[in-house]
Amino acid sequence: QSVLTQPPSVSGAPGQRVTISCTGSSSNIGAGYDVHWYQQLPGTAPKLLIYVNSIRPSGVPDRFSGSKSGTSASLAITGLQAEDEADYYCQSYDSSLSGHVFGTGTKVTVL
Amino acid sequence: QVQLQESGPGLVKPSETLSLTCTVSGGSISSYFWSWIRQPPGKGLEWIGYIYTSGSTNYNPSLRSRVTISVDTSKNQFSLRLSSVTAADTAMYYCARHENSAAGDFDYWGQGTLVTVSS
C-alpha cells in the first residue's frame, strides 16, 4: 500500500556517495508535506535519520543529508561506511488518505 | 530520555482480536500524538493509526473497520486492538511518538513486538 516509491537497493564502495530517491505525488510530497527518513539496522526498530526534509537529529553524522523538490525527495550518504548498511525508508503525510505513508524501502549495501 | 515498550500476546488465532499496549516512560504521554506502525516479515512499514492524548484518533483507511486505538493517560499507556485477524496481520508491531504534530515525523520508537497469527 506504499504510495512513496524508492529504489529497492543501492550499493557503493566505502567512501563513496550514494543517493536514495523517494517519489510521491500531488497529495503527499507535492502538496507540501514534509519528508522524513529512517534508518533500520537489521533486527532493530527504525531510527529517525532526517526530519522536515533536511534536518538531522542530534547524534546523526553529517554524512547524511536530505532534500526535497516538487513531488520527490532524496537522501544522500557521503563517505559511505560499513555501518551504514541498513534499510532506509522515507515517510510523509498524504491528504487523500488522511494519514501517514511510508516509502517502499531501500536496502543499502556497502561493497 | 523517552522510552516506549510494546507488550501483548505474541500469538493470536485467526478471526480473533489482537491487543497490544505501549507503555511510555521517561516523559509524559500528554500533549503528543502516538502511532502504531507495523512491518510484516521481510516487508516495509505500514502506518496503522494514531491517537492524541485528548482521545481523538485517525486510522489507515485500509484497516479502519478493524482498528481501535485508545489511551490511558493515568498509566502513560496507549493501546491497539485489531479485530478479525488473519495471517496477513502477522507482523512486527511498533509504537511511536510523533515529534510535534499529527502529520510530523516519529522521533521515538519502541523496540517492537512480533505478533504471529496462527491456529
Side-chain angles (χ1 to χ4, degrees), chain A residues 1 33 36 38 40 44-46 48 51 89 91 93 97-100 102, chain B residues 39 43-47 58 60-61 94 98 102-106 109-110:
Chain A
Q1 193 224 353
Y33 290 105
H36 320 290
Y38 302 86
Q40 186 175 32
T44 69
L48 182 63
Y51 66 102
Y89 294 91
Q91 175 243 322
Y93 193 86
L97 299 175
S98 293
H100 294 270
F102 284 96
Chain B
Q39 184 173 36
K43 296 188 177 181
L45 300 166
E46 180 182 32
W47 173 74
N58 186 25
N60 187 319
Y94 297 101
H98 299 222
D105 60 279
F106 305 109
W109 295 64

PDB file of all heavy atoms in Angstrom, chain A residues 1 33 36 38 40 44-46 48 51 89 91 93 97-100 102, chain B residues 39 43-47 58 60-61 94 98 102-106 109-110:
ATOM      1  N   GLN A   1       0.821  -1.198   0.000  1.00  0.00           N
ATOM      2  CA  GLN A   1       0.000   0.000   0.000  1.00  0.00           C
ATOM      3  C   GLN A   1       0.868   1.268   0.000  1.00  0.00           C
ATOM      4  O   GLN A   1       0.366   2.370   0.177  1.00  0.00           O
ATOM      5  CB  GLN A   1      -0.909  -0.015   1.248  1.00  0.00           C
ATOM      6  CG  GLN A   1      -2.023   0.997   1.228  1.00  0.00           C
ATOM      7  CD  GLN A   1      -2.191   1.708   2.556  1.00  0.00           C
ATOM      8  OE1 GLN A   1      -1.563   1.359   3.536  1.00  0.00           O
ATOM      9  NE2 GLN A   1      -3.005   2.736   2.599  1.00  0.00           N
ATOM     10  N   TYR A  33       3.742  18.536   2.135  1.00  0.00           N
ATOM     11  CA  TYR A  33       4.033  17.829   3.379  1.00  0.00           C
ATOM     12  C   TYR A  33       5.529  17.491   3.456  1.00  0.00           C
ATOM     13  O   TYR A  33       6.165  17.167   2.455  1.00  0.00           O
ATOM     14  CB  TYR A  33       3.195  16.552   3.487  1.00  0.00           C
ATOM     15  CG  TYR A  33       1.727  16.834   3.707  1.00  0.00           C
ATOM     16  CD1 TYR A  33       0.799  16.676   2.679  1.00  0.00           C
ATOM     17  CD2 TYR A  33       1.266  17.283   4.947  1.00  0.00           C
ATOM     18  CE1 TYR A  33      -0.552  16.945   2.870  1.00  0.00           C
ATOM     19  CE2 TYR A  33      -0.080  17.561   5.149  1.00  0.00           C
ATOM     20  CZ  TYR A  33      -0.973  17.395   4.099  1.00  0.00           C
ATOM     21  OH  TYR A  33      -2.304  17.672   4.292  1.00  0.00           O
ATOM     22  N   HIS A  36      10.426  12.726   5.840  1.00  0.00           N
ATOM     23  CA  HIS A  36      11.319  12.291   6.918  1.00  0.00           C
ATOM     24  C   HIS A  36      11.948  10.957   6.506  1.00  0.00           C
ATOM     25  O   HIS A  36      11.361  10.200   5.725  1.00  0.00           O
ATOM     26  CB  HIS A  36      10.537  12.136   8.227  1.00  0.00           C
ATOM     27  CG  HIS A  36       9.514  13.207   8.443  1.00  0.00           C
ATOM     28  ND1 HIS A  36       9.861  14.517   8.717  1.00  0.00           N
ATOM     29  CD2 HIS A  36       8.158  13.175   8.380  1.00  0.00           C
ATOM     30  CE1 HIS A  36       8.753  15.245   8.832  1.00  0.00           C
ATOM     31  NE2 HIS A  36       7.708  14.461   8.626  1.00  0.00           N
ATOM     32  N   TYR A  38      14.185   7.375   7.761  1.00  0.00           N
ATOM     33  CA  TYR A  38      14.510   6.472   8.852  1.00  0.00           C
ATOM     34  C   TYR A  38      15.539   5.447   8.388  1.00  0.00           C
ATOM     35  O   TYR A  38      15.504   4.994   7.248  1.00  0.00           O
ATOM     36  CB  TYR A  38      13.251   5.741   9.350  1.00  0.00           C
ATOM     37  CG  TYR A  38      12.182   6.687   9.820  1.00  0.00           C
ATOM     38  CD1 TYR A  38      11.267   7.226   8.923  1.00  0.00           C
ATOM     39  CD2 TYR A  38      12.111   7.089  11.152  1.00  0.00           C
ATOM     40  CE1 TYR A  38      10.313   8.131   9.328  1.00  0.00           C
ATOM     41  CE2 TYR A  38      11.148   8.000  11.572  1.00  0.00           C
ATOM     42  CZ  TYR A  38      10.264   8.527  10.650  1.00  0.00           C
ATOM     43  OH  TYR A  38       9.320   9.435  11.059  1.00  0.00           O
ATOM     44  N   GLN A  40      16.916   1.652   9.336  1.00  0.00           N
ATOM     45  CA  GLN A  40      16.579   0.449  10.084  1.00  0.00           C
ATOM     46  C   GLN A  40      17.714  -0.558   9.937  1.00  0.00           C
ATOM     47  O   GLN A  40      17.859  -1.200   8.899  1.00  0.00           O
ATOM     48  CB  GLN A  40      15.258  -0.153   9.624  1.00  0.00           C
ATOM     49  CG  GLN A  40      14.811  -1.321  10.489  1.00  0.00           C
ATOM     50  CD  GLN A  40      13.433  -1.852  10.117  1.00  0.00           C
ATOM     51  OE1 GLN A  40      13.032  -1.824   8.952  1.00  0.00           O
ATOM     52  NE2 GLN A  40      12.690  -2.333  11.109  1.00  0.00           N
ATOM     53  N   THR A  44      16.417  -4.369  14.198  1.00  0.00           N
ATOM     54  CA  THR A  44      16.129  -3.276  15.125  1.00  0.00           C
ATOM     55  C   THR A  44      14.969  -2.424  14.615  1.00  0.00           C
ATOM     56  O   THR A  44      14.545  -2.539  13.470  1.00  0.00           O
ATOM     57  CB  THR A  44      17.345  -2.367  15.322  1.00  0.00           C
ATOM     58  OG1 THR A  44      17.604  -1.650  14.109  1.00  0.00           O
ATOM     59  CG2 THR A  44      18.577  -3.174  15.717  1.00  0.00           C
ATOM     60  N   ALA A  45      14.467  -1.560  15.501  1.00  0.00           N
ATOM     61  CA  ALA A  45      13.405  -0.635  15.124  1.00  0.00           C
ATOM     62  C   ALA A  45      13.966   0.487  14.257  1.00  0.00           C
ATOM     63  O   ALA A  45      15.154   0.812  14.333  1.00  0.00           O
ATOM     64  CB  ALA A  45      12.768  -0.048  16.381  1.00  0.00           C
ATOM     65  N   PRO A  46      13.131   1.072  13.421  1.00  0.00           N
ATOM     66  CA  PRO A  46      13.587   2.236  12.647  1.00  0.00           C
ATOM     67  C   PRO A  46      14.037   3.356  13.571  1.00  0.00           C
ATOM     68  O   PRO A  46      13.526   3.523  14.677  1.00  0.00           O
ATOM     69  CB  PRO A  46      12.321   2.636  11.870  1.00  0.00           C
ATOM     70  CG  PRO A  46      11.526   1.385  11.776  1.00  0.00           C
ATOM     71  CD  PRO A  46      11.762   0.679  13.079  1.00  0.00           C
ATOM     72  N   LEU A  48      14.947   7.600  13.513  1.00  0.00           N
ATOM     73  CA  LEU A  48      14.815   8.845  12.759  1.00  0.00           C
ATOM     74  C   LEU A  48      16.190   9.343  12.324  1.00  0.00           C
ATOM     75  O   LEU A  48      17.073   9.548  13.166  1.00  0.00           O
ATOM     76  CB  LEU A  48      14.099   9.891  13.614  1.00  0.00           C
ATOM     77  CG  LEU A  48      13.844  11.246  12.963  1.00  0.00           C
ATOM     78  CD1 LEU A  48      12.908  11.113  11.763  1.00  0.00           C
ATOM     79  CD2 LEU A  48      13.275  12.229  13.992  1.00  0.00           C
ATOM     80  N   TYR A  51      14.620  14.727   9.505  1.00  0.00           N
ATOM     81  CA  TYR A  51      13.240  15.176   9.629  1.00  0.00           C
ATOM     82  C   TYR A  51      13.055  16.534   8.980  1.00  0.00           C
ATOM     83  O   TYR A  51      14.029  17.262   8.752  1.00  0.00           O
ATOM     84  CB  TYR A  51      12.760  15.161  11.088  1.00  0.00           C
ATOM     85  CG  TYR A  51      13.437  16.151  12.016  1.00  0.00           C
ATOM     86  CD1 TYR A  51      12.796  17.337  12.373  1.00  0.00           C
ATOM     87  CD2 TYR A  51      14.682  15.886  12.578  1.00  0.00           C
ATOM     88  CE1 TYR A  51      13.380  18.241  13.237  1.00  0.00           C
ATOM     89  CE2 TYR A  51      15.281  16.781  13.434  1.00  0.00           C
ATOM     90  CZ  TYR A  51      14.627  17.956  13.772  1.00  0.00           C
ATOM     91  OH  TYR A  51      15.218  18.859  14.637  1.00  0.00           O
ATOM     92  N   TYR A  89      13.936   4.186   4.869  1.00  0.00           N
ATOM     93  CA  TYR A  89      12.563   4.470   4.488  1.00  0.00           C
ATOM     94  C   TYR A  89      12.286   5.969   4.541  1.00  0.00           C
ATOM     95  O   TYR A  89      12.691   6.647   5.486  1.00  0.00           O
ATOM     96  CB  TYR A  89      11.581   3.782   5.446  1.00  0.00           C
ATOM     97  CG  TYR A  89      11.596   2.282   5.389  1.00  0.00           C
ATOM     98  CD1 TYR A  89      12.435   1.536   6.213  1.00  0.00           C
ATOM     99  CD2 TYR A  89      10.751   1.592   4.520  1.00  0.00           C
ATOM    100  CE1 TYR A  89      12.449   0.147   6.157  1.00  0.00           C
ATOM    101  CE2 TYR A  89      10.750   0.203   4.464  1.00  0.00           C
ATOM    102  CZ  TYR A  89      11.599  -0.502   5.280  1.00  0.00           C
ATOM    103  OH  TYR A  89      11.600  -1.888   5.223  1.00  0.00           O
ATOM    104  N   GLN A  91       9.169   8.892   4.637  1.00  0.00           N
ATOM    105  CA  GLN A  91       7.822   8.963   5.218  1.00  0.00           C
ATOM    106  C   GLN A  91       7.268  10.366   5.012  1.00  0.00           C
ATOM    107  O   GLN A  91       8.008  11.352   5.113  1.00  0.00           O
ATOM    108  CB  GLN A  91       7.867   8.625   6.703  1.00  0.00           C
ATOM    109  CG  GLN A  91       6.552   8.779   7.450  1.00  0.00           C
ATOM    110  CD  GLN A  91       6.603   9.838   8.539  1.00  0.00           C
ATOM    111  OE1 GLN A  91       7.610   9.983   9.236  1.00  0.00           O
ATOM    112  NE2 GLN A  91       5.522  10.569   8.722  1.00  0.00           N
ATOM    113  N   TYR A  93       3.073  12.601   4.758  1.00  0.00           N
ATOM    114  CA  TYR A  93       1.652  12.568   5.062  1.00  0.00           C
ATOM    115  C   TYR A  93       0.898  12.715   3.754  1.00  0.00           C
ATOM    116  O   TYR A  93       1.352  13.428   2.845  1.00  0.00           O
ATOM    117  CB  TYR A  93       1.291  13.709   6.012  1.00  0.00           C
ATOM    118  CG  TYR A  93      -0.076  13.581   6.636  1.00  0.00           C
ATOM    119  CD1 TYR A  93      -0.258  12.840   7.798  1.00  0.00           C
ATOM    120  CD2 TYR A  93      -1.183  14.207   6.085  1.00  0.00           C
ATOM    121  CE1 TYR A  93      -1.507  12.723   8.380  1.00  0.00           C
ATOM    122  CE2 TYR A  93      -2.440  14.091   6.657  1.00  0.00           C
ATOM    123  CZ  TYR A  93      -2.592  13.348   7.797  1.00  0.00           C
ATOM    124  OH  TYR A  93      -3.842  13.224   8.371  1.00  0.00           O
ATOM    125  N   LEU A  97      -5.360  10.116   1.676  1.00  0.00           N
ATOM    126  CA  LEU A  97      -5.546   9.034   2.644  1.00  0.00           C
ATOM    127  C   LEU A  97      -5.807   9.565   4.037  1.00  0.00           C
ATOM    128  O   LEU A  97      -6.248   8.826   4.917  1.00  0.00           O
ATOM    129  CB  LEU A  97      -4.304   8.136   2.672  1.00  0.00           C
ATOM    130  CG  LEU A  97      -3.929   7.434   1.368  1.00  0.00           C
ATOM    131  CD1 LEU A  97      -2.608   6.693   1.534  1.00  0.00           C
ATOM    132  CD2 LEU A  97      -5.033   6.469   0.955  1.00  0.00           C
ATOM    133  N   SER A  98      -5.521  10.842   4.239  1.00  0.00           N
ATOM    134  CA  SER A  98      -5.604  11.455   5.567  1.00  0.00           C
ATOM    135  C   SER A  98      -4.788  10.644   6.565  1.00  0.00           C
ATOM    136  O   SER A  98      -5.256  10.316   7.670  1.00  0.00           O
ATOM    137  CB  SER A  98      -7.066  11.540   6.040  1.00  0.00           C
ATOM    138  OG  SER A  98      -7.787  12.439   5.237  1.00  0.00           O
ATOM    139  N   GLY A  99      -3.586  10.309   6.167  1.00  0.00           N
ATOM    140  CA  GLY A  99      -2.732   9.530   7.057  1.00  0.00           C
ATOM    141  C   GLY A  99      -1.297   9.493   6.587  1.00  0.00           C
ATOM    142  O   GLY A  99      -0.944  10.057   5.550  1.00  0.00           O
ATOM    143  N   HIS A 100      -0.491   8.839   7.393  1.00  0.00           N
ATOM    144  CA  HIS A 100       0.939   8.743   7.099  1.00  0.00           C
ATOM    145  C   HIS A 100       1.211   7.668   6.053  1.00  0.00           C
ATOM    146  O   HIS A 100       0.535   6.642   6.019  1.00  0.00           O
ATOM    147  CB  HIS A 100       1.708   8.412   8.376  1.00  0.00           C
ATOM    148  CG  HIS A 100       1.664   9.504   9.400  1.00  0.00           C
ATOM    149  ND1 HIS A 100       2.605  10.509   9.441  1.00  0.00           N
ATOM    150  CD2 HIS A 100       0.790   9.764  10.393  1.00  0.00           C
ATOM    151  CE1 HIS A 100       2.313  11.345  10.426  1.00  0.00           C
ATOM    152  NE2 HIS A 100       1.216  10.914  11.017  1.00  0.00           N
ATOM    153  N   PHE A 102       4.576   5.556   4.069  1.00  0.00           N
ATOM    154  CA  PHE A 102       5.994   5.248   4.054  1.00  0.00           C
ATOM    155  C   PHE A 102       6.411   4.886   2.627  1.00  0.00           C
ATOM    156  O   PHE A 102       5.604   4.448   1.808  1.00  0.00           O
ATOM    157  CB  PHE A 102       6.294   4.061   4.965  1.00  0.00           C
ATOM    158  CG  PHE A 102       6.277   4.392   6.430  1.00  0.00           C
ATOM    159  CD1 PHE A 102       5.136   4.173   7.194  1.00  0.00           C
ATOM    160  CD2 PHE A 102       7.407   4.910   7.056  1.00  0.00           C
ATOM    161  CE1 PHE A 102       5.114   4.473   8.546  1.00  0.00           C
ATOM    162  CE2 PHE A 102       7.402   5.212   8.405  1.00  0.00           C
ATOM    163  CZ  PHE A 102       6.253   4.990   9.158  1.00  0.00           C
TER     164      PHE A 102
ATOM    165  N   GLN B  39       5.176  -3.959  10.525  1.00  0.00           N
ATOM    166  CA  GLN B  39       6.097  -4.379   9.462  1.00  0.00           C
ATOM    167  C   GLN B  39       6.034  -5.892   9.322  1.00  0.00           C
ATOM    168  O   GLN B  39       6.601  -6.620  10.153  1.00  0.00           O
ATOM    169  CB  GLN B  39       7.528  -3.922   9.790  1.00  0.00           C
ATOM    170  CG  GLN B  39       8.537  -4.219   8.706  1.00  0.00           C
ATOM    171  CD  GLN B  39       9.892  -3.601   9.015  1.00  0.00           C
ATOM    172  OE1 GLN B  39      10.319  -3.540  10.174  1.00  0.00           O
ATOM    173  NE2 GLN B  39      10.587  -3.148   7.972  1.00  0.00           N
ATOM    174  N   LYS B  43       9.176  -7.248   4.917  1.00  0.00           N
ATOM    175  CA  LYS B  43       8.494  -6.225   4.115  1.00  0.00           C
ATOM    176  C   LYS B  43       8.656  -4.834   4.721  1.00  0.00           C
ATOM    177  O   LYS B  43       9.399  -4.647   5.689  1.00  0.00           O
ATOM    178  CB  LYS B  43       7.009  -6.588   3.984  1.00  0.00           C
ATOM    179  CG  LYS B  43       6.770  -7.885   3.221  1.00  0.00           C
ATOM    180  CD  LYS B  43       5.308  -8.111   2.951  1.00  0.00           C
ATOM    181  CE  LYS B  43       5.090  -9.377   2.123  1.00  0.00           C
ATOM    182  NZ  LYS B  43       3.658  -9.616   1.807  1.00  0.00           N
ATOM    183  N   GLY B  44       7.970  -3.865   4.135  1.00  0.00           N
ATOM    184  CA  GLY B  44       8.106  -2.484   4.550  1.00  0.00           C
ATOM    185  C   GLY B  44       7.170  -2.086   5.682  1.00  0.00           C
ATOM    186  O   GLY B  44       6.425  -2.890   6.227  1.00  0.00           O
ATOM    187  N   LEU B  45       7.233  -0.802   6.015  1.00  0.00           N
ATOM    188  CA  LEU B  45       6.482  -0.248   7.131  1.00  0.00           C
ATOM    189  C   LEU B  45       5.084   0.189   6.693  1.00  0.00           C
ATOM    190  O   LEU B  45       4.904   0.730   5.608  1.00  0.00           O
ATOM    191  CB  LEU B  45       7.234   0.962   7.704  1.00  0.00           C
ATOM    192  CG  LEU B  45       8.642   0.674   8.226  1.00  0.00           C
ATOM    193  CD1 LEU B  45       9.402   1.979   8.451  1.00  0.00           C
ATOM    194  CD2 LEU B  45       8.577  -0.122   9.518  1.00  0.00           C
ATOM    195  N   GLU B  46       4.115  -0.040   7.571  1.00  0.00           N
ATOM    196  CA  GLU B  46       2.736   0.375   7.316  1.00  0.00           C
ATOM    197  C   GLU B  46       2.199   1.086   8.559  1.00  0.00           C
ATOM    198  O   GLU B  46       2.184   0.526   9.648  1.00  0.00           O
ATOM    199  CB  GLU B  46       1.849  -0.824   6.976  1.00  0.00           C
ATOM    200  CG  GLU B  46       0.395  -0.437   6.704  1.00  0.00           C
ATOM    201  CD  GLU B  46      -0.496  -1.616   6.423  1.00  0.00           C
ATOM    202  OE1 GLU B  46      -0.259  -2.710   6.983  1.00  0.00           O
ATOM    203  OE2 GLU B  46      -1.456  -1.460   5.638  1.00  0.00           O
ATOM    204  N   TRP B  47       1.749   2.309   8.371  1.00  0.00           N
ATOM    205  CA  TRP B  47       1.138   3.074   9.461  1.00  0.00           C
ATOM    206  C   TRP B  47      -0.267   2.528   9.707  1.00  0.00           C
ATOM    207  O   TRP B  47      -1.050   2.354   8.789  1.00  0.00           O
ATOM    208  CB  TRP B  47       1.095   4.546   9.088  1.00  0.00           C
ATOM    209  CG  TRP B  47       0.344   5.401  10.047  1.00  0.00           C
ATOM    210  CD1 TRP B  47       0.739   5.793  11.290  1.00  0.00           C
ATOM    211  CD2 TRP B  47      -0.943   5.987   9.844  1.00  0.00           C
ATOM    212  NE1 TRP B  47      -0.226   6.577  11.872  1.00  0.00           N
ATOM    213  CE2 TRP B  47      -1.266   6.714  11.000  1.00  0.00           C
ATOM    214  CE3 TRP B  47      -1.855   5.967   8.783  1.00  0.00           C
ATOM    215  CZ2 TRP B  47      -2.463   7.428  11.140  1.00  0.00           C
ATOM    216  CZ3 TRP B  47      -3.042   6.667   8.903  1.00  0.00           C
ATOM    217  CH2 TRP B  47      -3.348   7.380  10.078  1.00  0.00           C
ATOM    218  N   ASN B  58      -7.086   8.784  14.315  1.00  0.00           N
ATOM    219  CA  ASN B  58      -7.083   8.747  12.855  1.00  0.00           C
ATOM    220  C   ASN B  58      -6.487   7.415  12.445  1.00  0.00           C
ATOM    221  O   ASN B  58      -5.415   7.041  12.940  1.00  0.00           O
ATOM    222  CB  ASN B  58      -6.253   9.903  12.280  1.00  0.00           C
ATOM    223  CG  ASN B  58      -6.335   9.982  10.775  1.00  0.00           C
ATOM    224  OD1 ASN B  58      -7.302   9.519  10.178  1.00  0.00           O
ATOM    225  ND2 ASN B  58      -5.331  10.571  10.151  1.00  0.00           N
ATOM    226  N   ASN B  60      -5.590   4.303   9.388  1.00  0.00           N
ATOM    227  CA  ASN B  60      -5.331   3.953   7.999  1.00  0.00           C
ATOM    228  C   ASN B  60      -6.634   3.441   7.381  1.00  0.00           C
ATOM    229  O   ASN B  60      -7.255   2.525   7.932  1.00  0.00           O
ATOM    230  CB  ASN B  60      -4.256   2.866   7.941  1.00  0.00           C
ATOM    231  CG  ASN B  60      -3.783   2.557   6.535  1.00  0.00           C
ATOM    232  OD1 ASN B  60      -4.581   2.501   5.606  1.00  0.00           O
ATOM    233  ND2 ASN B  60      -2.489   2.358   6.380  1.00  0.00           N
ATOM    234  N   PRO B  61      -7.047   4.035   6.261  1.00  0.00           N
ATOM    235  CA  PRO B  61      -8.322   3.611   5.651  1.00  0.00           C
ATOM    236  C   PRO B  61      -8.406   2.115   5.378  1.00  0.00           C
ATOM    237  O   PRO B  61      -9.481   1.525   5.461  1.00  0.00           O
ATOM    238  CB  PRO B  61      -8.358   4.419   4.347  1.00  0.00           C
ATOM    239  CG  PRO B  61      -7.535   5.623   4.633  1.00  0.00           C
ATOM    240  CD  PRO B  61      -6.427   5.152   5.536  1.00  0.00           C
ATOM    241  N   TYR B  94       5.113  -1.842  16.045  1.00  0.00           N
ATOM    242  CA  TYR B  94       5.854  -0.797  16.746  1.00  0.00           C
ATOM    243  C   TYR B  94       4.894   0.290  17.226  1.00  0.00           C
ATOM    244  O   TYR B  94       3.943   0.643  16.518  1.00  0.00           O
ATOM    245  CB  TYR B  94       6.863  -0.136  15.816  1.00  0.00           C
ATOM    246  CG  TYR B  94       7.956  -1.006  15.275  1.00  0.00           C
ATOM    247  CD1 TYR B  94       7.894  -1.516  13.982  1.00  0.00           C
ATOM    248  CD2 TYR B  94       9.087  -1.302  16.042  1.00  0.00           C
ATOM    249  CE1 TYR B  94       8.920  -2.310  13.473  1.00  0.00           C
ATOM    250  CE2 TYR B  94      10.108  -2.095  15.545  1.00  0.00           C
ATOM    251  CZ  TYR B  94      10.014  -2.595  14.260  1.00  0.00           C
ATOM    252  OH  TYR B  94      11.038  -3.372  13.765  1.00  0.00           O
ATOM    253  N   HIS B  98       4.881  10.920  17.754  1.00  0.00           N
ATOM    254  CA  HIS B  98       5.031  11.986  16.785  1.00  0.00           C
ATOM    255  C   HIS B  98       5.810  13.107  17.454  1.00  0.00           C
ATOM    256  O   HIS B  98       5.484  13.514  18.570  1.00  0.00           O
ATOM    257  CB  HIS B  98       3.668  12.554  16.359  1.00  0.00           C
ATOM    258  CG  HIS B  98       2.775  11.570  15.704  1.00  0.00           C
ATOM    259  ND1 HIS B  98       2.013  11.893  14.593  1.00  0.00           N
ATOM    260  CD2 HIS B  98       2.502  10.277  15.978  1.00  0.00           C
ATOM    261  CE1 HIS B  98       1.296  10.831  14.239  1.00  0.00           C
ATOM    262  NE2 HIS B  98       1.577   9.851  15.064  1.00  0.00           N
ATOM    263  N   ALA B 102       0.434  16.037  14.176  1.00  0.00           N
ATOM    264  CA  ALA B 102      -0.221  14.836  13.663  1.00  0.00           C
ATOM    265  C   ALA B 102       0.447  14.340  12.389  1.00  0.00           C
ATOM    266  O   ALA B 102       0.531  13.137  12.151  1.00  0.00           O
ATOM    267  CB  ALA B 102      -1.701  15.126  13.406  1.00  0.00           C
ATOM    268  N   ALA B 103       0.923  15.281  11.567  1.00  0.00           N
ATOM    269  CA  ALA B 103       1.489  14.910  10.266  1.00  0.00           C
ATOM    270  C   ALA B 103       3.010  14.845  10.285  1.00  0.00           C
ATOM    271  O   ALA B 103       3.630  14.719   9.237  1.00  0.00           O
ATOM    272  CB  ALA B 103       1.036  15.909   9.208  1.00  0.00           C
ATOM    273  N   GLY B 104       3.606  14.933  11.444  1.00  0.00           N
ATOM    274  CA  GLY B 104       5.063  15.012  11.537  1.00  0.00           C
ATOM    275  C   GLY B 104       5.777  13.683  11.580  1.00  0.00           C
ATOM    276  O   GLY B 104       5.217  12.626  11.298  1.00  0.00           O
ATOM    277  N   ASP B 105       7.049  13.755  11.941  1.00  0.00           N
ATOM    278  CA  ASP B 105       7.885  12.573  11.988  1.00  0.00           C
ATOM    279  C   ASP B 105       7.700  11.816  13.296  1.00  0.00           C
ATOM    280  O   ASP B 105       7.092  12.308  14.249  1.00  0.00           O
ATOM    281  CB  ASP B 105       9.356  12.982  11.839  1.00  0.00           C
ATOM    282  CG  ASP B 105       9.784  13.926  12.952  1.00  0.00           C
ATOM    283  OD1 ASP B 105       9.483  15.129  12.838  1.00  0.00           O
ATOM    284  OD2 ASP B 105      10.394  13.455  13.931  1.00  0.00           O
ATOM    285  N   PHE B 106       8.260  10.607  13.333  1.00  0.00           N
ATOM    286  CA  PHE B 106       8.212   9.755  14.522  1.00  0.00           C
ATOM    287  C   PHE B 106       9.594   9.760  15.154  1.00  0.00           C
ATOM    288  O   PHE B 106      10.540   9.185  14.599  1.00  0.00           O
ATOM    289  CB  PHE B 106       7.812   8.328  14.142  1.00  0.00           C
ATOM    290  CG  PHE B 106       6.509   8.266  13.369  1.00  0.00           C
ATOM    291  CD1 PHE B 106       6.508   7.941  12.029  1.00  0.00           C
ATOM    292  CD2 PHE B 106       5.303   8.527  14.001  1.00  0.00           C
ATOM    293  CE1 PHE B 106       5.309   7.881  11.309  1.00  0.00           C
ATOM    294  CE2 PHE B 106       4.110   8.476  13.291  1.00  0.00           C
ATOM    295  CZ  PHE B 106       4.115   8.156  11.942  1.00  0.00           C
ATOM    296  N   TRP B 109      10.662   5.438  19.021  1.00  0.00           N
ATOM    297  CA  TRP B 109      10.017   4.168  18.662  1.00  0.00           C
ATOM    298  C   TRP B 109      10.242   3.137  19.770  1.00  0.00           C
ATOM    299  O   TRP B 109      11.268   3.147  20.440  1.00  0.00           O
ATOM    300  CB  TRP B 109      10.633   3.597  17.376  1.00  0.00           C
ATOM    301  CG  TRP B 109      10.423   4.391  16.143  1.00  0.00           C
ATOM    302  CD1 TRP B 109      10.878   5.656  15.872  1.00  0.00           C
ATOM    303  CD2 TRP B 109       9.730   3.976  14.963  1.00  0.00           C
ATOM    304  NE1 TRP B 109      10.513   6.052  14.606  1.00  0.00           N
ATOM    305  CE2 TRP B 109       9.811   5.024  14.022  1.00  0.00           C
ATOM    306  CE3 TRP B 109       9.059   2.793  14.607  1.00  0.00           C
ATOM    307  CZ2 TRP B 109       9.226   4.947  12.752  1.00  0.00           C
ATOM    308  CZ3 TRP B 109       8.494   2.706  13.336  1.00  0.00           C
ATOM    309  CH2 TRP B 109       8.572   3.772  12.426  1.00  0.00           C
ATOM    310  N   GLY B 110       9.279   2.240  19.928  1.00  0.00           N
ATOM    311  CA  GLY B 110       9.508   1.084  20.758  1.00  0.00           C
ATOM    312  C   GLY B 110      10.378   0.082  20.010  1.00  0.00           C
ATOM    313  O   GLY B 110      10.643   0.243  18.813  1.00  0.00           O
TER     314      GLY B 110
END
